[in-house]
Short mmCIF file of all heavy atoms in Angstrom, two decimals:
data_model
loop_
_atom_site.label_atom_id
_atom_site.label_comp_id
_atom_site.label_asym_id
_atom_site.label_seq_id
_atom_site.Cartn_x
_atom_site.Cartn_y
_atom_site.Cartn_z
N LEU A 68 -11.55 29.36 28.16
CA LEU A 68 -12.98 29.17 28.37
C LEU A 68 -13.77 29.48 27.10
O LEU A 68 -14.67 28.71 26.71
CB LEU A 68 -13.47 30.06 29.52
CG LEU A 68 -12.86 29.79 30.89
CD1 LEU A 68 -13.38 30.80 31.91
CD2 LEU A 68 -13.18 28.37 31.35
N ILE A 69 -13.45 30.58 26.44
CA ILE A 69 -14.20 30.99 25.25
C ILE A 69 -13.90 30.06 24.08
O ILE A 69 -14.82 29.64 23.36
CB ILE A 69 -13.86 32.44 24.89
CG1 ILE A 69 -14.29 33.39 26.01
CG2 ILE A 69 -14.55 32.83 23.58
CD1 ILE A 69 -15.77 33.41 26.29
N PHE A 70 -12.63 29.73 23.88
CA PHE A 70 -12.29 28.84 22.77
C PHE A 70 -12.99 27.49 22.92
O PHE A 70 -13.42 26.89 21.93
CB PHE A 70 -10.78 28.63 22.68
CG PHE A 70 -10.02 29.83 22.16
CD1 PHE A 70 -8.64 29.86 22.24
CD2 PHE A 70 -10.68 30.90 21.59
CE1 PHE A 70 -7.93 30.95 21.75
CE2 PHE A 70 -9.98 32.00 21.11
CZ PHE A 70 -8.60 32.02 21.19
N ALA A 71 -13.12 27.02 24.16
CA ALA A 71 -13.76 25.72 24.39
C ALA A 71 -15.27 25.79 24.18
O ALA A 71 -15.85 24.95 23.48
CB ALA A 71 -13.44 25.23 25.80
N THR A 72 -15.92 26.79 24.77
CA THR A 72 -17.38 26.83 24.74
C THR A 72 -17.92 27.29 23.38
O THR A 72 -18.80 26.65 22.80
CB THR A 72 -17.92 27.75 25.85
OG1 THR A 72 -17.29 29.05 25.73
CG2 THR A 72 -17.61 27.18 27.22
N VAL A 73 -17.40 28.38 22.86
CA VAL A 73 -17.89 28.89 21.58
C VAL A 73 -17.49 27.94 20.45
O VAL A 73 -18.27 27.69 19.52
CB VAL A 73 -17.36 30.31 21.31
CG1 VAL A 73 -17.78 30.81 19.92
CG2 VAL A 73 -17.88 31.27 22.38
N GLY A 74 -16.29 27.38 20.53
CA GLY A 74 -15.87 26.44 19.51
C GLY A 74 -16.79 25.24 19.42
O GLY A 74 -17.05 24.71 18.33
N ALA A 75 -17.32 24.80 20.56
CA ALA A 75 -18.17 23.60 20.58
C ALA A 75 -19.47 23.80 19.81
O ALA A 75 -20.00 22.85 19.21
CB ALA A 75 -18.47 23.21 22.02
N VAL A 76 -20.01 25.01 19.80
CA VAL A 76 -21.30 25.25 19.14
C VAL A 76 -21.13 25.81 17.73
O VAL A 76 -22.13 26.04 17.04
CB VAL A 76 -22.17 26.21 19.98
CG1 VAL A 76 -22.43 25.63 21.36
CG2 VAL A 76 -21.53 27.59 20.10
N THR A 77 -19.90 26.02 17.29
CA THR A 77 -19.69 26.62 15.98
C THR A 77 -20.21 25.78 14.82
O THR A 77 -20.86 26.31 13.90
CB THR A 77 -18.19 26.95 15.78
OG1 THR A 77 -17.82 27.98 16.71
CG2 THR A 77 -17.91 27.44 14.37
N PRO A 78 -19.98 24.45 14.77
CA PRO A 78 -20.50 23.68 13.62
C PRO A 78 -22.02 23.78 13.48
O PRO A 78 -22.53 23.95 12.37
CB PRO A 78 -20.06 22.25 13.92
CG PRO A 78 -18.85 22.40 14.78
CD PRO A 78 -19.15 23.59 15.64
N ALA A 79 -22.74 23.69 14.59
CA ALA A 79 -24.21 23.77 14.53
C ALA A 79 -24.65 25.15 14.05
O ALA A 79 -25.58 25.29 13.25
CB ALA A 79 -24.81 23.46 15.90
N THR A 80 -23.95 26.18 14.53
CA THR A 80 -24.28 27.54 14.09
C THR A 80 -23.98 27.73 12.61
O THR A 80 -24.73 28.38 11.87
CB THR A 80 -23.49 28.57 14.92
OG1 THR A 80 -23.67 28.30 16.31
CG2 THR A 80 -23.96 29.98 14.62
N ALA A 81 -22.88 27.15 12.15
CA ALA A 81 -22.51 27.26 10.74
C ALA A 81 -23.54 26.58 9.84
O ALA A 81 -23.81 27.05 8.73
CB ALA A 81 -21.12 26.67 10.52
N ARG A 82 -24.12 25.48 10.29
CA ARG A 82 -25.13 24.81 9.49
C ARG A 82 -26.36 25.68 9.31
O ARG A 82 -27.04 25.62 8.28
CB ARG A 82 -25.52 23.47 10.13
CG ARG A 82 -24.47 22.39 10.01
CD ARG A 82 -25.02 21.02 10.33
NE ARG A 82 -25.42 20.89 11.72
CZ ARG A 82 -24.63 20.49 12.70
NH1 ARG A 82 -23.36 20.18 12.44
NH2 ARG A 82 -25.08 20.38 13.93
N LYS A 83 -26.65 26.51 10.29
CA LYS A 83 -27.83 27.39 10.20
C LYS A 83 -27.54 28.65 9.41
O LYS A 83 -28.38 29.10 8.61
CB LYS A 83 -28.30 27.76 11.61
CG LYS A 83 -28.82 26.58 12.42
CD LYS A 83 -29.25 27.02 13.81
CE LYS A 83 -29.76 25.84 14.63
NZ LYS A 83 -30.16 26.24 16.02
N LEU A 84 -26.38 29.26 9.64
CA LEU A 84 -26.08 30.56 9.04
C LEU A 84 -25.25 30.47 7.76
O LEU A 84 -25.27 31.39 6.94
CB LEU A 84 -25.33 31.44 10.05
CG LEU A 84 -26.04 31.79 11.35
CD1 LEU A 84 -25.16 32.67 12.22
CD2 LEU A 84 -27.37 32.49 11.07
N GLY A 85 -24.51 29.39 7.60
CA GLY A 85 -23.55 29.28 6.50
C GLY A 85 -22.15 29.60 7.00
O GLY A 85 -21.96 30.46 7.87
N GLU A 86 -21.17 28.91 6.44
CA GLU A 86 -19.80 29.05 6.93
C GLU A 86 -19.19 30.41 6.62
O GLU A 86 -18.55 31.03 7.48
CB GLU A 86 -18.93 27.93 6.31
CG GLU A 86 -19.30 26.55 6.84
CD GLU A 86 -18.83 25.42 5.94
OE1 GLU A 86 -18.25 25.72 4.86
OE2 GLU A 86 -19.05 24.26 6.31
N HIS A 87 -19.39 30.91 5.41
CA HIS A 87 -18.84 32.22 5.06
C HIS A 87 -19.47 33.32 5.90
O HIS A 87 -18.79 34.23 6.40
CB HIS A 87 -19.06 32.52 3.58
CG HIS A 87 -18.25 31.65 2.67
ND1 HIS A 87 -18.14 31.89 1.31
CD2 HIS A 87 -17.50 30.54 2.90
CE1 HIS A 87 -17.36 30.96 0.76
NE2 HIS A 87 -16.98 30.13 1.71
N ARG A 88 -20.78 33.26 6.04
CA ARG A 88 -21.49 34.28 6.81
C ARG A 88 -21.06 34.25 8.28
O ARG A 88 -20.85 35.30 8.90
CB ARG A 88 -23.00 34.08 6.69
CG ARG A 88 -23.82 35.17 7.36
CD ARG A 88 -25.31 34.99 7.09
NE ARG A 88 -25.62 35.18 5.68
CZ ARG A 88 -25.94 34.21 4.83
NH1 ARG A 88 -25.99 32.95 5.25
NH2 ARG A 88 -26.22 34.47 3.57
N LEU A 89 -20.91 33.06 8.83
CA LEU A 89 -20.53 32.96 10.24
C LEU A 89 -19.10 33.45 10.46
O LEU A 89 -18.82 34.13 11.46
CB LEU A 89 -20.67 31.52 10.73
CG LEU A 89 -20.32 31.28 12.21
CD1 LEU A 89 -21.18 32.16 13.11
CD2 LEU A 89 -20.48 29.82 12.58
N LEU A 90 -18.20 33.14 9.54
CA LEU A 90 -16.84 33.63 9.71
C LEU A 90 -16.79 35.15 9.61
O LEU A 90 -16.07 35.81 10.37
CB LEU A 90 -15.91 33.01 8.66
CG LEU A 90 -14.43 33.38 8.79
CD1 LEU A 90 -13.88 33.05 10.19
CD2 LEU A 90 -13.59 32.68 7.73
N LEU A 91 -17.57 35.72 8.71
CA LEU A 91 -17.66 37.18 8.63
C LEU A 91 -18.17 37.76 9.94
O LEU A 91 -17.61 38.73 10.46
CB LEU A 91 -18.57 37.59 7.47
CG LEU A 91 -18.89 39.09 7.37
CD1 LEU A 91 -17.62 39.91 7.16
CD2 LEU A 91 -19.90 39.35 6.25
N LEU A 92 -19.23 37.17 10.49
CA LEU A 92 -19.76 37.64 11.77
C LEU A 92 -18.72 37.49 12.88
O LEU A 92 -18.61 38.35 13.76
CB LEU A 92 -21.03 36.88 12.12
CG LEU A 92 -22.25 37.16 11.24
CD1 LEU A 92 -23.40 36.22 11.62
CD2 LEU A 92 -22.69 38.61 11.38
N GLY A 93 -17.95 36.40 12.83
CA GLY A 93 -16.91 36.21 13.82
C GLY A 93 -15.85 37.29 13.75
O GLY A 93 -15.40 37.82 14.77
N LEU A 94 -15.42 37.65 12.54
CA LEU A 94 -14.41 38.70 12.38
C LEU A 94 -14.96 40.06 12.81
O LEU A 94 -14.23 40.87 13.41
CB LEU A 94 -13.94 38.75 10.93
CG LEU A 94 -13.11 37.55 10.47
CD1 LEU A 94 -12.92 37.57 8.96
CD2 LEU A 94 -11.75 37.54 11.18
N LEU A 95 -16.23 40.31 12.52
CA LEU A 95 -16.84 41.57 12.96
C LEU A 95 -16.92 41.61 14.49
O LEU A 95 -16.68 42.66 15.11
CB LEU A 95 -18.22 41.74 12.34
CG LEU A 95 -18.25 41.94 10.81
CD1 LEU A 95 -19.68 41.96 10.30
CD2 LEU A 95 -17.52 43.22 10.44
N ALA A 96 -17.29 40.49 15.11
CA ALA A 96 -17.32 40.43 16.58
C ALA A 96 -15.93 40.63 17.15
O ALA A 96 -15.75 41.33 18.17
CB ALA A 96 -17.90 39.09 17.03
#
Side-chain angles (χ1 to χ4, degrees):
L68 298 177
I69 297 297
F70 287 169
T72 54
V73 175
V76 300
T77 294
T80 308
R82 287 195 294 270
K83 294 179 180 179
L84 299 180
E86 291 160 357
H87 291 190
R88 185 174 294 107
L89 181 57
L90 184 55
L91 173 61
L92 291 174
L94 290 169
L95 293 175

